[in-house]
């Protein structure tokens, strides 16, 4: 931990493989099926960031992302489009529906079920997605679950079963 924190400085150390500028046409598309999210994800993976990742995400007209949760925080900046998100509320059995449009920032707290929907039947939604997943991965704390295109209730039923106690009985 001391070595990690000591290595963080205000100076970025780019080189030929880790440039200071990455253009949109240089983003790497994550192949369909490599992640459970059915949207198009392109990562700015060659930027010399060590604690966060940047993606350009597209949700096709009338479609949605997968129902998922992860340990990292995420902010989606809506480049274009209109839609809404379902995000698990503080009470674990409920969720909040929030609407957004171009220019909005959408925050997803850690380990909350969420899903983003494109409300247009004609135009895609484009996000700039920023997440602190690299920081958590450095500490061995990266975790993500996807329920695919399931509803909030289906995701809860599939993943949120009570943990067994030391005797093997569900609590």
């Amino acid at each position: 931990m001391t070595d990690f924190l000591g290595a963080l400085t205000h100076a970025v150390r780019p080189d030929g493989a880790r440039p200071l500028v990455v253009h949109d046409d240089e983003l790497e598309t994550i192949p369909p099926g490599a992640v459970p999210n059915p949207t198009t994800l392109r990562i700015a993976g060659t930027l010399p960031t060590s604690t966060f990742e940047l993606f350009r995400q597209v949700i096709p007209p009338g479609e949605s992302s997968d129902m998922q949760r992860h340990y990292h925080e995420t902010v989606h900046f809506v480049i274009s489009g209109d839609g809404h998100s379902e995000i698990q509320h503080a009470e674990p059995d409920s969720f909040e529906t929030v609407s957004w449009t171009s220019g909005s920032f959408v925050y997803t707290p850690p380990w909350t079920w969420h899903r983003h929907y494109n409300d247009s039947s004609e135009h895609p939604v484009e996000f700039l997605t920023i997440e602190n997943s690299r920081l958590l991965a450095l500490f061995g704390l990266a975790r993500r679950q996807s329920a695919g295109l399931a509803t909030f209730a289906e995701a809860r039923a599939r993943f949120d079963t009570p943990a067994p106690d030391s005797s093997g009985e569900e609590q």
Side-chain angles (χ1 to χ4, degrees), residues 37-83:
N37 199 323
T39 65
T40 302
L41 291 169
R42 296 185 307 129
I43 186 170
T46 59
L47 287 173
T49 61
S50 57
T51 60
F52 63 93
E53 289 194 292
L54 296 163
F55 298 90
R56 188 148 184 184
Q57 183 174 7
V58 176
I59 302 176
E63 300 290 325
S64 72
S65 66
D66 60 327
M67 180 66 74
Q68 62 176 271
R69 65 181 177 182
H70 36 70
Y71 280 176
H72 57 267
E73 292 178 288
T74 303
V75 173
H76 294 279
F77 173 73
V78 184
I79 297 169
S80 64
D82 300 299

Side-chain angles (χ1 to χ4, degrees), residues 65-76 85-98 106-116 131-132 136 143-148 150-153 155-156 159-160:
S65 66
D66 60 327
M67 180 66 74
Q68 62 176 271
R69 65 181 177 182
H70 36 70
Y71 280 176
H72 57 267
E73 292 178 288
T74 303
V75 173
H76 294 279
S85 299
E86 295 175 340
I87 301 173
Q88 183 177 2
H89 201 267
E91 297 86 38
D93 291 331
S94 65
F95 64 91
E96 184 174 353
T97 300
V98 294
V106 183
Y107 175 72
T108 304
W111 207 242
T112 58
W113 287 110
H114 61 280
R115 188 169 174 184
H116 309 291
E131 57 185 46
N132 66 341
L136 295 184
R143 184 171 182 202
R144 179 187 304 263
Q145 288 181 331
S146 172
T151 65
F152 176 73
R156 293 286 321 275
F159 289 98
D160 291 351

